[in-house]
Amino acid sequence: MFELKKSGDKFHFVLKAANGQVILTSQMYATKASAMNGIESVQKNCGKDSSFEMKTAKNGKIHFNIKATNGQIIGSSQMYAAESGAKNGIESVRKNAPGATVKEVE
């Protein structure tokens, strides 16, 4: 499920797995409509290997980003201790995003 939240005058979303764990967090968007477009972009791009980019942080932990076709980052994962965890996170996005519902939360 995608949860759409308003923070101040901006919007962002998270993608949650069935167990309630946050898999992906978006950037901040100026409007609700642009945040909804971001959700649609995750759903459209999550099936493409080229949309995902794994990175290693300075502390050695690994995370991934999902990018739109224009190269802009749509969402980022949490930090994982190992590459296998990040790969599992990518698979979870692929499994959960396409048919996910959108719920607005406070």
Side-chain angles (χ1 to χ4, degrees):
M1 170 184 13
F2 285 100
E3 287 187 353
L4 180 63
K5 300 178 183 180
K6 186 172 185 182
S7 298
D9 60 347
K10 301 210 182 266
F11 294 84
H12 74 283
F13 61 84
V14 296
L15 173 62
K16 289 188 170 183
N19 65 4
Q21 183 176 356
V22 174
I23 314 166
L24 196 68
T25 303
S26 77
Q27 64 180 14
M28 297 301 281
Y29 292 92
T31 65
K32 181 178 173 182
S34 57
M36 292 297 292
N37 286 341
I39 290 171
E40 288 176 23
S41 187
V42 169
Q43 291 175 317
K44 185 172 73 177
N45 290 295
C46 68
K48 303 175 197 162
D49 288 340
S50 60
S51 296
F52 291 94
E53 173 185 57
M54 273 204 278
K55 295 193 159 236
T56 303
K58 290 179 182 171
N59 64 4
K61 298 207 178 216
I62 298 171
H63 69 282
F64 64 85
N65 296 319
I66 183 169
K67 293 183 171 187
T69 48
N70 65 4
Q72 184 176 2
I73 294 172
I74 314 164
S76 300
S77 73
Q78 65 183 40
M79 293 289 182
Y80 295 93
E83 187 176 316
S84 60
K87 286 182 178 177
N88 288 340
I90 290 171
E91 288 309 310
S92 188
V93 170
R94 288 187 167 141
K95 184 175 106 181
N96 289 285
T101 58
V102 178
K103 176 182 170 187
E104 289 189 49
V105 296
E106 293 297 315

